Amino acid sequence: MKPYGRKVAIVGGSRIPFARSNGPYSHKSNQEMLTAAFKGVVDKFQLHGEQIGEVAAGAVLKHSRDFNLCRESVLSSGLSAHTPAYDVQMACGTGLQAAINIANKIALGQIESGIAGGTDTTSDAPIAVNDKLRKILLDANRAKTTGQKLAALAKFRPAMLAPATPTNGEPRTRMSMGQHCELMAKEWKIARADQDQLAYESHKKAAAAYDAGFFDDLIVPFGGLKRDNNMRADTTLEKLASLGPAYDKKSGQGTLTAGNSTPLTDGASAVLLASEDWCKARGVKPLAYLTHAQTSAVDFAGPGKEGLLIAPAYAVPQMLARAGIKLQDFDFYEIHEAFAAQVLCTLKAWESEDYCKNVLGLPGALGSIDRSKLNVKGGSLAAGHPFAATGGRIIASLAKIIDENKGGRGLISICAAGGLGVTAIVER
């Protein structure tokens, strides 16, 4: 066993292009996409036939057949079949949480290397049997006599053939993430124009990064795509301003639109983490290091309920306190753009003296950040957001940004369903 607290290197990552739901990947499965991302890492770092310490990945929407999704993808990836693997699920924070799990084992000396990743497809979402019909079929299966079986089946009605389709709504509130974020935007007084501006910048930064070749070694072609098909290099503020509300259509006061919210997206990503000893033995130079992580949660449905997606506002100051640094001590900020409003709510919360003191229990406001350092290669609004795949995308991109910068420190912040926030620090 190595001593506690070894450095965790980010060696590099790979992902398939992210695609809008019901598009190029409409007939691709989570397993096919995750396998492609894993293969990208295996090919990139010549891991064919090699047994690595562990692989952790997951999906938010998956079929019952995918109960061992990560392991099945590993078996088709080119890695040794002796490589252990397991599934992780933490809503939109799944990919980052998987990386944290792998990193912790490396830091503790339990493994020398590992791959973390995630995948999601809303095109191939699991459609379940109507719950009433499901109970009838189970009762019929449990029946001991023909009479009991017929009695159970006699309860069937044609209307029960309507399937139960999955949603991204919160079970406790029966509201979608977009509806929750609309409430946050109203509470924090986030202007529509500011949301559109952030979305506009996300697309322009991503387009510039593609033109500069930044993504060339991060993305492997898949399903006929070579780049994210959600990105709109030609978008304008005028086009964004012309879009109507997506989640609050009745009142006419909604500010969240299809343009400043991430679309339903299919995709997968993976990232290779390792100890310094592992890197040295293979002559591999780490791009950066994963040094700190923090997860937090908020009570979004209780008496003193908070915004569903505000948990990163809690997680980041907790992580900063442990790291002994300030919010301004970063060269890059990778804040997941589930919705432009969510990013702006989080930034406004950190700038609020009242909120930081009376809600977060801090001595004062965390302060503002330099917006020119925010999502410098574009964010989820441009790339899209296949729920479990976003964490891997961000880690790999940020590590490369830091490497090209010849050093620096980056903050990762991801909001997630269930009132969760997953954050981390990457630096070199």
Side-chain angles (χ1 to χ4, degrees), residues 320 326-331 333 366-369 373:
L320 295 179
K326 302 190 298 296
L327 181 62
Q328 293 72 32
D329 293 337
F330 289 90
D331 303 284
Y333 300 87
L366 280 184
S368 59
I369 68 168
K373 300 176 180 179

Side-chain angles (χ1 to χ4, degrees), residues 370-394:
D370 181 345
R371 294 286 187 91
S372 69
K373 300 176 180 179
L374 174 64
N375 299 341
V376 297
K377 303 298 182 183
S380 298
L381 287 167
H385 173 39
F387 309 123
T390 289
R393 172 189 71 78
I394 291 176

Side-chain angles (χ1 to χ4, degrees), residues 206-268:
Y210 266 109
D211 290 344
F214 177 81
F215 294 111
D216 287 356
D217 66 339
L218 291 174
I219 295 178
V220 292
F222 180 78
L225 287 185
K226 292 184 178 179
R227 59 167 56 189
D228 307 316
N229 77 348
N230 177 64
M231 187 187 70
R232 298 289 180 266
D234 61 347
T235 194
T236 64
L237 288 171
E238 289 73 25
K239 287 180 181 177
L240 290 168
S242 69
L243 299 173
Y247 300 100
D248 184 8
K249 300 176 183 178
K250 290 184 178 179
S251 74
Q253 302 300 310
T255 58
L256 273 69
T257 70
N260 58 41
S261 309
T262 51
L264 293 176
T265 314
D266 306 334

Side-chain angles (χ1 to χ4, degrees), residues 94-109:
T94 296
L96 180 53
Q97 186 58 51
I100 293 168
N101 289 1
I102 294 292
N104 287 344
K105 287 198 171 184
I106 293 171
L108 286 170

Side-chain angles (χ1 to χ4, degrees), residues 1-64:
M1 291 282 288
K2 293 286 185 180
Y4 170 77
R6 295 191 306 172
K7 292 176 71 175
V8 179
I10 301 171
V11 183
S14 179
R15 69 177 177 92
I16 62 173
F18 290 174
R20 278 180 173 258
S21 180
N22 297 315
Y25 303 163
S26 58
H27 296 290
K28 300 296 184 182
S29 67
N30 272 326
Q31 187 177 326
E32 289 175 293
M33 294 193 298
L34 185 59
T35 299
F38 284 167
K39 281 184 175 178
V41 171
V42 170
D43 291 344
K44 190 173 186 177
F45 299 103
Q46 294 300 297
L47 299 175
H48 305 90
E50 209 172 309
Q51 178 182 344
I52 63 173
E54 198 166 272
V55 180
V60 177
L61 295 174
K62 64 184 193 179
H63 295 270
S64 57

